């Protein structure tokens, strides 16, 4: 159906081809996934199928591309419109008309189909994509997932034999992404449509693919094979594949179900080394310092890290310490309960014995004290939880990397801790007559990372906007560093809070990186060079005179982040930061954000990316229809919800693992421990 | 997910029906013999042309009178129909902007009359502003000075007429998006129509971009208000708009915009001859109609030219393979709405009301305006759409 014969594409003004030597045949009715790191030419390959490359983009295409027997050199995109349907990354720029129904009909009108055929297909497509309720709605008023479905529907109605999709699920929440993928699956199975799709979020799509084409590097020849074969060598792969590679499973599992069926042995092994799941809370897995490795083989120091770490990450409401398991070292068993104990006592402050015992949590000997103190205030309710949050902030802020030695001094003054980085009470935001947020409360402590999740349009971005004063609360109170953001002058506000918007390029005005940095320093009143130093740290190898628009998504995000961080705001907000990032860029982002949290920055991220939330967040807040429906420690919340659970959690349930890194660390530590013993 | 949706679906028509029932009870026994307007959906949607004819008919009446009572009646009729039949679509919100613009026009007209004086001679002095002495060459212009009641009333009538016209156009815009009107263009012009529609969406997108980028300035710690802020986001906004246009052009190309069918060369040539010749004939005919001695050849030439252009358009449409998806049908209700507008414009003419003093109440000497009966009745016919047009559905 699609045939590439030794295709290479060179854009005007570039010396080297973007893609080279692509030989590819996609038979009819296959779903083929195009994967690879950012910038390897995935979009170029997709564009070559629809004829937009080179007819529309310019450049030189060598070799030959045929689609359904038509050579794209001889046929313009409009003459291929009846066999190829293309959906780009941004559905909004795809829409020609203004209502859903007209949009679905537009392609058919261009092809000149009979009115009764058009009518029938529009009705079928409305049902197929679940859009019947929205048929009269203006497309601009739809949510992201709905827009994406309309965009797919609009190219489906002419019944193309080939469907080309560029990142169809990147902007969608997990449920909406599932919907879109289910539709694609149905098209392939029921109608025999050939689908060629590029996607970064492999965990969502790889198991739907019949074959995977990997573009390993710019200009490198593609590798084609079954998903399992390609995933075994691919530099980009979903967590379930990393877990499979870690555990040495062959063939590699691609779905949670496959992995679960093989995971029995791994679960047992993990149960031996860490019966209650990860020994360390996720977000503090590997920040700088890494005290877990500090004491060479000394059980005392190792265990002693737990009180401070657990206290730093798990509020007392998470009062389900693992039961004592015979056979594990005593110190570890004590460490579980003493965490809540320390946090609870910190929150209440006045509980005499709590603080000292937490202070003395230096080794196994103090464990009973900790447990005793923990037993009392373990369920002091939400209030103590919040105040424990204050304490937590202080603890982390004061001792980002110090480990156990720094824990004692901070445990005492917990009750008189500093104001939280942000506090929101009973926030109501109206947009027109719609209440975008209703009675939302949120407290963020310094050093804490909070993930805001929820479906598209649930109010995540609105909450972030309220925190930077872009929208005015209709009722309720918003305080950031003690100030009301919408009444604070922008010049002062940047030192309190920084937001990296969904589209980082909105923040960038200048035409070189250096000018952007200079402007950022001026705006923030920071010493000249502050921003440039941040850029160098976050984004090594980007020249001063690069144009921000020429950077890749990940680089642009890093630049915007540097610009925001130049003012050193204690509260950092990120809206959908992983959109369009490949796994490598995401890993770099995670490392950077962990470092920032360890430095005492409070971070709030609005994200659909459950894997990101699992890796970074201490706390997860789920919004639905403008209301807060869940708020709790990351592992509790994501474990409780199948749609927000990361793949590793699903594979290893009922054990409480969130990320591959945790599993790797636990297995590695177990190896060390056994070696020590 | 499913059950709540179903419930909402069931409830929505319910509320619409109950509201219609309330209105009909208010209207008394008429509810029994006047068939209730159905709920609007796509197939019974009123043709956009009908709305525009209605609005222009009322506008025509407004443009031929300065009687404030009649103008107020027109505004009242238009506002009532808009309130009763406006949808919740984004373009419907533009009505408020049009009303604001109309008020601004009225205010500016009055301010000019007060500050600069008016040519209307008057005897009733309201107040005397200090007059700015002007040099001799500025004869005929004065700033400040005597403000007469006659001058102010004249300006008020004049401004009111312009404001009413604006409100009529705004109503048409709110009730029928211009894009829907463009969809009724002949096939040969369809592609141009789509381009115009896309251009129409350009402005709202640009405004949204400006808002977003000004908000982003706040994130950089720069003031987000003021002219400088606006100027600094100018370049990024234009860049963004250009990028979006290119992306849209690519999408339209890939979706078959501008596909053509092969047509014989003879047809192509005939099309060109008909269109160009027709346009020339239309120009000549119009000239003939307007000059004093050309009334003999003017009208026939104009008619022939129009026919030739229409034939050319029809032939040209054969090059485009386009078909129409659910075009707006021109039904009984569209006839009613269009006819009510036409009646509002034409009836006063037939009744010989034009030229009567009631349509242009005298300003010098000042008299109280009287509501002329026939034109007022004709304007009231403009209320027909509020009962004949389908009721817009409540958004779900």
């Amino acid at each position: 159906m699609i045939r590439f014969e030794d295709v290479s594409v060179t854009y005007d003004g570039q010396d080297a081809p973007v893609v080279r030597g692509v030989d590819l045949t996609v038979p009819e009715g296959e779903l083929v996934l195009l994967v690879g790191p950012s910038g390897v030419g995935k979009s170029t390959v997709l564009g070559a199928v629809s004829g937009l490359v080179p007819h529309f983009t310019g450049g030189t295409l060598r070799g030959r591309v045929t689609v359904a027997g038509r050579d794209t050199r001889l046929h313009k995109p409009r003459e291929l419109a009846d066999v190829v349907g293309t959906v780009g990354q941004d559905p909004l720029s795809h829409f020609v008309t203004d209502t859903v129904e007209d949009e679905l009909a537009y392609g058919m009108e261009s092809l000149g189909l009979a009115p009764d055929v058009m009518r029938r297909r529009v009705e079928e497509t409305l049902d197929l994509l679940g859009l019947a309720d929205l048929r009269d709605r203006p497309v601009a008023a739809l949510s992201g997932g709905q827009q994406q479905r309309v965009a797919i529907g609009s190219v489906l109605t002419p019944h193309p034999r080939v469907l080309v999709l560029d990142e169809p699920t990147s902007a969608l929440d997990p449920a909406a992404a599932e919907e879109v993928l289910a539709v694609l699956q149905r098209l392939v199975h029921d109608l025999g449509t050939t689908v060629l799709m590029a996607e970064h979020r492999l965990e969502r799509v790889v198991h739907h693919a019949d074959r995977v084409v990997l573009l390993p590097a710019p200009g490198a020849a593609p590798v084609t094979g079954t998903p399992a074969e390609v995933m075994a060598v691919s530099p980009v792969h979903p967590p379930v594949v990393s877990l499979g590679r870690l555990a040495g499973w062959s063939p590699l599992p691609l779905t949670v179900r496959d992995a679960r069926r093989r995971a029995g042995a791994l679960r047992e092994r993990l149960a031996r080394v860490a019966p209650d799941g990860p020994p360390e809370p996720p977000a503090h897995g590997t920040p700088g310092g890494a005290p877990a490795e500090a004491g060479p083989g000394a059980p005392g120091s190792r265990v002693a890290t737990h009180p401070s770490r657990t206290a730093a990450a798990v509020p007392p409401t998470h009062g389900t310490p693992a039961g004592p398991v015979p056979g594990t070292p005593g110190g570890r068993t004590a460490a579980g309960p003493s965490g809540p104990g320390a946090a609870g006592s910190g929150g209440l402050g006045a509980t005499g014995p709590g603080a000292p015992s937490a202070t003395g949590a230096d080794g196994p000997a103090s464990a009973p004290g900790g447990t005793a103190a923990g037993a009392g205030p373990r369920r002091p309710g939400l209030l103590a939880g919040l105040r424990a949050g204050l304490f937590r902030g202080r603890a982390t802020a004061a001792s980002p990397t110090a480990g156990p030695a720094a824990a004692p001094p901070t445990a005492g003054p917990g009750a008189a801790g500093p104001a939280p980085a942000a506090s929101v009470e009973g926030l109501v935001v109206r947009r027109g007559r719609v209440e975008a947020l209703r009675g939302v409360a949120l407290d963020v402590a310094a050093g804490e990372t909070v993930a805001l999740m929820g479906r598209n349009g649930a109010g995540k971005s609105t909450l972030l906007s309220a925190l930077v004063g872009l929208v005015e609360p209709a009722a309720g109170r918003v305080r950031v560093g003690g100030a009301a953001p919408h009444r604070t002058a922008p010049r002062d506000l940047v030192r309190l809070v920084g937001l990296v918007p969904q589209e980082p390029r909105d923040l960038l005005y200048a035409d070189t990186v250096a000018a952007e940095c200079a402007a950022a320093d001026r705006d923030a009143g920071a010493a000249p060079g502050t921003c440039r130093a941040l850029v160098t740290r976050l984004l090594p190898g980007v020249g001063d005179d690069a144009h921000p628009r020429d950077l890749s998504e990940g680089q642009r995000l890093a630049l915007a982040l540097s610009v925001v961080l130049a003012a050193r705001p204690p509260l950092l907000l990120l809206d959908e930061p992983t959109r369009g990032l490949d796994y490598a860029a995401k890993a770099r982002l995670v490392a950077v954000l962990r470092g920032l949290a360890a430095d005492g920055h409070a971070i709030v991220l609005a994200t659909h990316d459950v894997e990101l939330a699992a890796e970074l967040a201490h706390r997860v807040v789920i919004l639905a229809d403008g209301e807060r429906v869940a708020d709790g420690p990351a592992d509790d919340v994501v474990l409780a919800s199948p749609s927000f659970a990361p793949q590793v959690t699903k594979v290893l349930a009922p054990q409480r693992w969130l990320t591959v890194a945790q599993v790797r660390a636990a297995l590695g530590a177990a190896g060390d421990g056994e070696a020590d013993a | 997910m499913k059950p709540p949706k179903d419930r909402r679906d069931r409830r929505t028509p319910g509320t619409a029906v109950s509201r219609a029932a309330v209105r009909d009870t208010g209207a008394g026994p008429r509810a029994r013999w006047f068939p209730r307007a159905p709920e609007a959906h796509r197939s019974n949607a009123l043709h956009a042309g009908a709305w525009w004819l209605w609005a222009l008919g009322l506008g025509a009446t407004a443009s031929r009178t300065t009687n404030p009572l009649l103008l107020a009646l027109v505004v009242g009729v238009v506002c009532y129909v808009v309130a009763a039949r406006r949808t919740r679509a984004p373009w419907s919100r533009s009505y408020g902007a049009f009303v604001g613009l109309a008020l601004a026009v009225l205010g500016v007209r009055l301010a000019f009359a007060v500050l600069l004086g008016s040519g209307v001679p008057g005897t009733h002095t309201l107040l005397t502003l200090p007059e700015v002495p002007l040099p001799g060459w500025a004869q005929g212009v004065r700033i400040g000075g005597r403000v007469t009641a006659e001058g102010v009333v004249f300006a008020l009538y004049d401004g009111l007429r312009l404001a009413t016209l604006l409100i009529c156009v705004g109503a048409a815009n709110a009730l029928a998006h211009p894009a829907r009107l463009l969809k009724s263009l002949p096939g040969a012009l369809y592609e141009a129509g789509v381009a115009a529609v896309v251009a129409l969406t350009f402005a709202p997108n640009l405004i949204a971009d400006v808002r977003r980028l000004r908000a982003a300035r706040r994130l950089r710690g720069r003031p987000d208000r003021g002219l400088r802020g606006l100027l600094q986001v100018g370049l990024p906004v234009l860049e963004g708009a250009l990028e979006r246009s290119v992306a849209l052009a690519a999408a339209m190309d890939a979706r078959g915009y501008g596909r053509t069918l092969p047509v014989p060369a003879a047809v192509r040539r005939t099309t060109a001859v008909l269109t160009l010749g027709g346009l020339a004939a239309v120009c000549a005919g119009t000239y003939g109609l307007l000059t004093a001695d050309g009334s003999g050849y003017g009208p026939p030439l104009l008619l022939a030219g129009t026919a030739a252009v229409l034939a050319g358009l029809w032939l040209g449409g054969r090059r485009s393979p386009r078909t129409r998806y659910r075009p707006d049908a021109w039904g009984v209700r569209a006839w009613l709405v269009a006819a009510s507008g036409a009646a509002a414009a034409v009836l006063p003419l037939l009744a010989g009301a034009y030229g009567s003093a009631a349509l242009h109440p005298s300003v010098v000497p000042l008299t109280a305006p009287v509501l002329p009966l026939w034109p007022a009745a004709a304007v009231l016919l403009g209320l027909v759409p509020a009962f004949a047009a389908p009721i817009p559905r409540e958004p779900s």
Side-chain angles (χ1 to χ4, degrees), chain A residues 30-409:
Chain A
E30 268 202 1
L31 197 163
V32 175
L33 184 63
L34 193 58
V35 303
S38 294
V40 292
K42 295 193 293 293
S43 297
T44 303
V45 171
L46 296 183
V49 175
S50 59
L52 288 173
V53 175
H55 288 294
F56 196 85
T57 56
T60 317
L61 186 142
R62 272 176 240 286
R64 177 208 284 269
V65 182
T66 48
V67 182
R70 293 186 208 174
D71 191 332
T72 58
R73 274 185 307 187
L74 308 175
H75 292 82
K76 288 185 182 149
R78 70 187 70 150
E79 287 148 16
L80 292 166
D82 52 336
V83 288
V84 183
T86 312
V87 182
Q89 291 184 10
D90 178 14
L92 258 187
S93 65
H94 171 94
F95 295 142
V96 182
T97 64
D98 46 18
T99 64
V100 171
E101 205 173 339
D102 286 332
E103 193 58 40
L104 292 184
Y106 178 79
M108 294 188 290
E109 288 182 325
S110 301
L111 300 181
L113 296 181
D116 55 332
V117 176
M118 289 199 279
R119 184 68 199 274
R120 201 175 60 234
R121 289 197 189 164
V122 166
E123 298 298 330
E124 285 166 4
T125 309
L126 285 172
D127 283 341
L128 182 71
L129 298 177
L131 294 168
D133 289 347
L134 310 171
R135 61 189 305 160
D136 294 327
R137 294 269 291 274
V139 282
L142 302 178
S143 74
Q146 290 166 339
Q147 282 177 351
Q148 190 73 53
R149 278 185 287 153
V150 172
I152 291 178
S154 71
V155 299
L156 276 185
T157 45
H159 284 193
R161 294 163 70 191
V162 176
L163 205 53
V164 175
L165 304 152
D166 199 352
E167 303 214 19
T169 72
S170 280
L172 304 185
D173 59 68
E178 279 304 316
E179 263 173 53
V180 168
L181 290 168
V183 165
L184 293 179
Q185 195 73 357
R186 252 176 95 179
L187 293 175
V188 171
H189 283 244
D190 299 354
L191 303 177
T193 312
T194 310
V195 177
L196 181 62
M197 139 167 92
E199 179 62 68
H200 279 312
R201 300 246 173 121
L202 291 179
E203 65 270 18
R204 291 177 170 178
V205 295
V206 75
H207 51 281
H208 290 296
D210 295 311
R211 277 193 311 149
V212 175
V213 176
L214 167 70
L215 292 171
V223 179
T224 311
T226 64
E229 286 165 14
V230 175
M231 281 301 116
V233 296
S234 169
V236 289
H237 48 78
V240 70
V241 168
S242 332
L243 191 68
R245 285 191 190 177
L246 178 69
W249 292 326
S250 177
L252 276 175
L254 298 173
T255 62
V256 168
R257 180 167 173 266
D258 288 350
R260 266 197 83 79
R261 289 161 71 178
R262 298 215 192 101
L266 178 65
R267 274 201 295 267
E268 270 173 36
R269 209 167 131 208
L270 286 169
R272 271 202 308 280
V273 295
D276 54 334
E280 290 170 5
H284 279 239
T286 50
E293 281 82 45
S301 76
R302 165 124 185 215
V303 167
T305 63
H306 287 289
S308 69
R309 300 197 138 251
T310 320
V314 185
T317 41
H318 170 46
T320 48
V325 176
T328 51
R332 181 183 295 284
T333 324
S338 81
S345 61
L348 293 177
T351 1
S357 73
T359 317
D362 230 338
S366 69
T371 321
R378 187 174 298 156
R379 301 201 174 276
L382 200 62
L383 183 64
L386 292 178
R387 297 174 76 187
L390 310 186
F391 155 75
R392 228 155 60 220
R394 178 64 173 272
T396 335
S399 58
T401 55

Side-chain angles (χ1 to χ4, degrees), chain B residues 81-316:
Chain B
V81 172
V82 168
R85 289 298 183 268
R86 174 160 69 150
T87 62
R88 285 276 190 90
W91 54 85
S92 297
R93 291 182 211 133
S94 65
Y95 187 62
F98 271 97
V99 172
L101 185 64
L103 289 178
V105 163
L106 192 58
V108 167
R109 182 75 181 82
L110 279 178
F112 271 45
V114 169
L115 291 180
L116 303 179
S118 73
V120 182
T123 51
H124 299 78
T125 305
L126 291 177
L127 71 162
T128 307
L129 295 175
E131 188 167 346
V132 180
L134 288 175
W137 49 262
Q139 213 174 16
V141 179
R142 74 185 166 93
I143 299 176
R146 216 158 53 88
V147 179
T148 62
E150 286 87 346
V152 170
V153 167
F154 180 79
L156 179 74
Y157 289 179
D158 205 39
L160 198 59
R161 181 165 66 172
L162 205 53
T164 311
L165 270 174
L166 275 172
I167 287 178
C168 286
V169 173
N173 203 41
L175 292 164
H177 194 242
R180 271 176 58 201
L181 198 61
L182 287 171
K183 277 183 201 154
S184 313
L185 285 175
L189 297 181
Y190 194 96
E191 305 287 342
V194 170
V197 171
V198 169
L200 280 177
T201 60
F202 188 78
N205 282 336
L206 211 60
I207 292 170
D209 274 0
V210 169
R211 282 209 191 120
R212 209 183 65 234
L213 285 169
R214 288 183 86 176
R217 281 177 58 80
R218 189 180 168 83
L219 302 177
R220 287 286 296 260
R222 304 178 188 180
D224 53 349
R225 296 190 178 83
L227 193 64
R228 249 186 93 212
L230 197 63
L231 290 179
Q232 279 193 347
V233 298
L235 198 58
V237 163
L238 288 181
E239 274 177 29
L242 195 64
E243 273 173 28
R244 205 175 25 238
S245 308
V246 170
L248 179 63
M252 285 170 71
D253 202 4
R255 291 172 71 186
Y257 175 82
R259 275 167 81 104
T260 49
L261 290 177
V263 284
V267 173
R268 268 208 314 273
R269 274 195 292 271
T270 319
T271 310
V273 168
L274 278 176
T275 315
L276 288 178
L279 281 176
V282 166
C283 290
T286 315
Y287 177 79
L289 207 61
L290 295 178
T291 50
D293 53 348
S295 53
Y297 67 88
L301 204 55
L302 188 63
L303 282 180
T306 315
V309 167
L310 287 179
L313 282 179
W314 176 77
L315 263 185

